[in-house]
Amino acid sequence: LSDFDKNLRKLWENQGGVSAMKQAAEIDRVRFQLGQSDRMKEAIFLSGRYLPMMEEIFKNAGLPIQLTRLVFVESSFNVLARSKVGASGLWQIMPSAARGRLKVNKVVDLRNHPQKATELAAKMLKFNFEMLGSWPLAVTGYNHGPYGVKRLVERNKTRELGELIETGEGRRFGFASRNFYASFLAALEVESKAGTYFPGIKQDIPFQFTHLQTKSPIFFKDLVEAFNGDRTLAQLYNPHLQRSAYRNLVPLDSKSYLVVPVEKKDEIHKTLENTLA
């Protein structure tokens, strides 16, 4: 150990009759995950595509725009993110949260539409705040569920998140939920000082998109052709389409929310002039 580390250890060696340093290093007290630095750098780059749109939606909803940084925790701005428990999209919205709010059928899953999902996330966070009365609780409720957090508050008679975390609720208030707000604060800190943590880092340019209105049904392969044969790009702009649509098993119509870059709208209209309104 360096002299600094030795002095630090000595300061904490016998606090309250226990070795605080040894206790803090016990196997069940230490948790880490490799690769987070690289993942965060990639997420900061990708965030440039969506943050301007997200900030505008949250600002119009009267919400702090900093809340849009929750996406760093949820999906790292991977628009194709899918969870094994059923959460989906940039905001990792569960099927139960989308029910009755976002269209999900054999053609589209609007949980994966960046704009539509952001609009729903804003409504969910606003509801959480109105119910729970503080942003630490509202953000925690995004992961744990607002009613679950409300029960914790009522059962423990405290609205302080730190005190709720110390209650030892076990599986009902698990590791992810207990640490969700802290993870959000960490992501907010790193993103706001990205130039310090990652010198020279850049963000991608914002996606400027518009929706196409089809005069008659088309298939995904037709949309790919309109993207100059770039299937990956067509999927990147249309992550809300279901697998059956990508496989050309179901047609796409005006209710499919087809998305194209603004700057390519005229070109795509020309390519699909026989099927677009």
Side-chain angles (χ1 to χ4, degrees):
L1 298 176
S2 68
D3 289 340
F4 176 84
D5 291 332
K6 289 176 182 177
N7 288 331
L8 185 63
R9 178 172 179 169
K10 186 176 181 179
L11 284 171
W12 289 94
E13 200 159 27
N14 290 293
Q15 295 293 318
V18 299
S19 175
M21 293 293 287
K22 182 177 180 181
Q23 187 181 68
E26 290 178 358
I27 190 66
D28 62 344
R29 296 282 301 273
V30 179
R31 184 179 179 118
F32 67 93
Q33 188 172 353
L34 295 175
Q36 289 302 297
S37 177
D38 290 339
R39 182 173 180 176
M40 190 66 184
K41 284 193 289 186
E42 177 68 11
I44 290 171
F45 173 77
L46 295 174
S47 70
R49 299 173 179 176
Y50 308 106
L51 275 180
M53 172 270 292
M54 291 177 170
E55 288 182 350
E56 182 178 1
I57 289 172
F58 272 60
K59 183 178 179 180
N60 291 339
L63 298 174
I65 62 172
Q66 290 87 347
L67 291 172
T68 58
R69 276 56 178 179
L70 271 174
V71 181
F72 283 103
V73 182
E74 288 290 357
S75 66
S76 297
F77 281 88
N78 174 11
V79 75
L80 301 178
R82 308 290 185 268
S83 149
K84 63 182 179 181
V85 298
S88 198
L90 291 175
W91 288 93
Q92 288 294 278
I93 296 173
M94 292 291 288
S96 57
R99 193 171 298 121
R101 296 169 167 179
L102 289 177
K103 179 184 291 189
V104 179
N105 57 31
K106 64 180 180 179
V107 180
V108 299
D109 183 345
L110 292 187
R111 294 179 300 158
N112 302 321
H113 188 294
Q115 179 186 339
K116 300 296 182 183
T118 300
E119 291 170 352
L120 177 56
K123 292 177 182 177
M124 292 169 64
L125 285 163
K126 190 169 188 176
F127 175 84
N128 289 3
F129 181 74
E130 291 171 350
M131 173 189 286
L132 300 169
S134 79
W135 284 118
L137 295 180
V139 169
T140 302
Y142 189 85
N143 179 270
H144 188 64
Y147 293 102
V149 174
K150 184 180 180 181
R151 287 192 292 270
L152 285 171
V153 168
E154 293 172 346
R155 186 160 52 243
N156 294 283
K157 297 180 173 55
T158 179
R159 306 181 72 82
E160 293 297 325
L161 179 58
E163 294 178 10
L164 294 176
I165 290 173
E166 294 296 327
T167 60
E169 291 285 341
R171 293 176 62 185
R172 287 180 295 177
F173 191 41
F175 179 88
S177 294
R178 293 198 308 273
N179 290 278
F180 191 70
Y181 185 66
S183 298
F184 162 64
L185 292 181
L188 183 62
E189 159 74 13
V190 174
E191 189 269 344
S192 66
K193 300 177 182 177
T196 300
Y197 288 105
F198 307 115
I201 194 168
K202 297 183 183 299
Q203 288 182 309
D204 200 5
I205 60 175
F207 272 12
Q208 300 291 337
F209 63 88
T210 186
H211 292 96
L212 287 177
Q213 294 295 319
T214 57
K215 182 165 57 176
S216 57
I218 63 172
F219 284 91
F220 184 64
K221 60 182 178 61
D222 301 315
L223 190 62
V224 171
E225 182 180 348
F227 274 83
N228 296 321
D230 192 333
R231 181 183 176 87
T232 299
L233 188 62
Q235 185 174 2
L236 193 60
Y237 271 87
N238 295 272
H240 58 285
L241 296 180
Q242 297 278 36
R243 187 175 300 178
S244 57
Y246 292 137
R247 292 178 175 177
N248 301 298
L249 300 177
V250 293
L252 310 173
D253 57 22
S254 59
K255 297 179 181 180
S256 301
Y257 297 91
L258 299 181
V259 176
V260 297
V262 169
E263 67 274 14
K264 288 183 171 289
K265 182 178 180 180
D266 292 341
E267 177 185 340
I268 290 175
H269 264 285
K270 184 177 181 180
T271 303
L272 299 174
E273 61 184 358
N274 295 325
T275 56
L276 295 180

